[in-house]
Amino acid sequence: MAILEAKDIHKSYGKQTVLNGIDLTIKQGEIFGFLGPNGAGKTTFIKIMLGLAMPQKGELQLMGEDIFVNRKHAIKQVGAVVEAPIFFDYLTAYENLYHIVSLSGPISRQKILDVLELVGLSTAIDKKVGTFSYGMKQRLGIAQALLPDTKFLILDEPTNGLDPHGISGVRSLIRKLRDELGITIFLSSHLLIEVEQVCDRVCIIHHGNKVFEGVVAEVTQSEQTIVEVKASKELDCKSWNLLKSEEHHGLQQLTFELDKQEIPQLVQSLIDQNAEIFQVRSEEPNLEELFINLTKDKHLDVRIDSFGN
Ligand code: ADP
């Protein structure tokens, strides 16, 4: 069963189009990265997923239910940390969770203790939240979202504002929740590196358009070959996957995506065209550029013309 199935979601605020026809399917057990620069429309999409905002057009099934028809049932096993969670500073971690979660039904003490242990707060159960670091509050927010029996966890920018130690702790917690408990996770982030480290699949949105969807491991495997040349006439590079051509200090800098074995043939072909070669080097691509380049020639509803702006 798909955990989430969104079709053609459109959302505007006044004249501003925030989501422009988003299709998305999330499968059970995956960690799905939802990536886009600030202002791309990520939080708006999450609000629609949770039935907290209505799109002008589109359909959305969450846990097999139409979110706009049967919200209460659809979100029963869905937990979300959408903004920095707010807790009562003068209550302990346990008391905070108890008071918040018992509003929606009875909850056992053991269940709360289990979840606190799971998120790494077992030594802070009886400590007042006012003494917590930002990272501990973030973990407490995740603990709250896991109660009472969450199968799908939505995290909006979960490492924002955390120090490196906190960031790595939250990332390993996300993996643990999926690996040990089979929880499906939707991770919204503007950080490519975060998505690369924890997600199985990724969707990139920009200006409300989906510009890429694919398997993270496939995206991050390739390398770029950069050749610096001087040529008196335009070079014919049609046989190669030329990603871009730029002028740098009087030299032409050509960036290709190739297999290593193809480099000698490429160099030979440039020499045959009387180009002077100053440098050939391979680089791990800047992930953001790689995403842009991948979306250029592949499938889909690509509107990447202004991605880097
Ligand atoms: P992201 O989460 O990717 O940073 P958002 O979904 O928060 O992006 O916002 C996308 C765009 O929608 C932004 O330009 C934002 O100003 C606008 N927006 C979001 N919510 C509202 C709202 N309630 N009213 C008007 N504009 C909004």
Side-chain angles (χ1 to χ4, degrees), residues 39-159:
K42 302 183 298 294
T43 305
T44 304
F45 186 78
I46 290 175
K47 286 184 181 159
I48 292 172
M49 273 166 76
L50 291 167
L52 298 171
M54 278 297 283
Q56 274 82 12
K57 193 179 156 201
E59 292 167 29
L60 196 143
Q61 301 266 327
L62 179 66
M63 311 300 277
E65 304 274 356
D66 184 330
I67 187 75
F68 309 121
V69 174
N70 206 355
R71 177 174 188 270
K72 206 171 161 195
H73 204 243
I75 62 163
K76 225 172 179 159
Q77 292 186 308
V78 178
V81 185
V82 175
E83 268 146 17
I86 297 167
F87 296 105
F88 297 110
D89 281 351
Y90 56 87
L91 296 181
T92 66
Y94 176 86
E95 288 163 347
N96 263 288
L97 290 192
Y98 178 79
H99 285 293
I100 295 163
V101 180
S102 59
L103 289 174
S104 34
I107 179 90
S108 76
R109 179 177 166 81
Q110 194 54 48
K111 185 99 202 171
I112 294 177
L113 297 181
D114 288 348
V115 167
L116 283 169
E117 186 174 350
L118 187 69
V119 301
L121 289 177
S122 51
T123 55
I125 290 167
D126 296 319
K127 288 204 176 118
K128 290 207 166 45
V129 168
T131 66
F132 277 22
S133 67
Y134 188 74
M136 289 166 83
K137 285 185 186 165
Q138 202 68 2
R139 283 166 177 273
L140 191 58
I142 295 176
Q144 181 196 327
L146 289 171
L147 289 167
D149 187 22
T150 294
K151 299 271 186 288
F152 181 39
L153 181 64
I154 298 167
L155 300 171
D156 190 11
E157 307 274 5
T159 59

Side-chain angles (χ1 to χ4, degrees), residues 11-14 16-19 34-47 156-157 188-190 205 208:
K11 177 75 182 170
S12 307
Y13 288 109
Q16 188 193 1
T17 302
V18 177
L19 297 171
F34 195 53
L35 191 60
N38 287 327
K42 302 183 298 294
T43 305
T44 304
F45 186 78
I46 290 175
K47 286 184 181 159
D156 190 11
E157 307 274 5
S188 166
S189 177
H190 65 279
I205 65 162

Side-chain angles (χ1 to χ4, degrees), residues 204-218:
I204 305 180
I205 65 162
H206 182 52
H207 289 324
N209 293 297
K210 182 163 86 174
V211 294
F212 178 81
E213 185 175 355
V215 174
V216 174
E218 286 174 9

